[in-house]
């Protein structure tokens, strides 16, 4: 059997609603599932916390979804504390090794790769196609310009914070529930 091309497939956070993936998160998860099934990496990490009032985190919903599609629990890493793309990557970083393949929306991917490389991760990307409005592309282009200019923290509540104290421990496994 051939050696996997990547150590990890990393699904960046997107909304969940009541324990179910949003359409954007489901597209990312389906893309990651297909890449995993092709043998591109032995493990999949899913990142994303919960918004105030949410019962479930994006990470746990994503992991539960992938488990239901046949990815073994031991092949999943569920990060459940992050609130931004930067935090998705920062909080996962202690657990990742080798080359990683980031899975996210096509407009979001260039910024995600920039942030991954800023954190010293050996990252490549898999753009998930979808019906993305022009405003999404423009917003991401402005965020990238902001980063390229070296301006931090990002505007609009995208400030940089430190990982939680337990970030060096395993972020967890899929939660039970819907």
């Amino acid at each position: 059997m051939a050696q996997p091309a990547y150590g990890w497939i990393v699904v960046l956070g997107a909304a969940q609603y009541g324990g179910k993936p949003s359409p954007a998160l489901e597209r990312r998860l389906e893309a990651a599932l297909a890449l995993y099934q092709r043998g591109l990496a032995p493990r999949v990490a899913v990142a994303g916390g919960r918004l105030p009032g949410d019962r479930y985190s994006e990470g746990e919903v994503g992991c539960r979804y992938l488990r239901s599609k046949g990815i073994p629990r031991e092949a999943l890493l569920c990060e459940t504390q992050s609130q931004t793309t930067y935090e998705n990557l920062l909080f996962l970083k202690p657990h990742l090794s080798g080359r990683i393949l980031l899975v996210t929306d096509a407009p979001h991917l260039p910024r995600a790769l920039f942030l991954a490389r800023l954190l010293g991760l050996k990252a490549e990307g898999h753009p998930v196609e979808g019906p993305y409005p022009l405003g999404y592309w423009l917003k991401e282009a402005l965020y990238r310009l902001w980063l390229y200019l070296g301006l931090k923290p990002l505007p609009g509540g995208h400030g940089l914070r430190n990982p939680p104290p337990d970030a060096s421990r395993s972020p967890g496994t899929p939660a039970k529930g819907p």
Side-chain angles (χ1 to χ4, degrees):
M1 184 164 167
Q3 181 75 10
Y6 301 93
W8 290 87
I9 295 167
V10 175
V11 181
L12 297 175
Q16 61 79 33
Y17 304 119
K20 305 279 186 221
S22 65
L25 182 55
E26 188 170 8
R27 282 192 302 271
R28 293 178 190 188
L29 293 167
E30 284 293 325
L33 176 63
L35 295 165
Y36 175 83
Q37 289 172 335
R38 286 179 32 207
L40 289 180
R43 300 202 64 197
V44 179
V46 184
R50 72 182 83 216
L51 293 175
D54 280 351
R55 187 170 170 199
Y56 304 100
S57 71
E58 298 163 2
E60 68 185 310
V61 168
C63 280
R64 192 177 313 113
Y65 181 92
L66 292 174
R67 278 282 297 130
S68 75
K69 300 287 185 167
I71 296 183
R73 182 178 300 269
E74 58 274 7
L76 290 169
L77 180 66
C78 313
E79 186 284 315
T80 63
Q81 302 297 311
S82 60
Q83 297 296 312
T84 65
T85 302
Y86 179 81
E87 289 180 3
N88 287 172
L89 297 164
L90 178 67
F91 297 177
L92 282 173
K93 182 181 176 181
H95 310 283
L96 304 176
S97 58
R99 293 172 50 219
I100 64 170
L101 183 60
L102 297 181
V103 176
T104 191
D105 301 343
H108 182 232
L109 185 58
R111 178 167 63 100
L113 285 168
F114 182 90
L115 290 168
R117 292 172 184 150
L118 187 70
L119 287 166
L121 294 167
K122 295 178 189 130
E124 294 177 35
H126 179 82
V128 177
E129 300 304 322
Y132 305 120
L134 180 60
Y136 187 12
W137 288 96
L138 291 174
K139 178 185 80 160
E140 286 297 330
L142 288 174
Y143 280 156
R144 281 195 318 277
L145 176 61
W146 188 266
L147 288 170
Y148 292 151
L149 293 174
L151 303 172
K152 296 177 226 139
L154 295 174
H158 292 280
L160 307 179
R161 60 183 182 134
N162 292 322
D166 61 352
S168 63
R169 292 196 336 247
S170 178
T173 56
K176 308 261 187 275

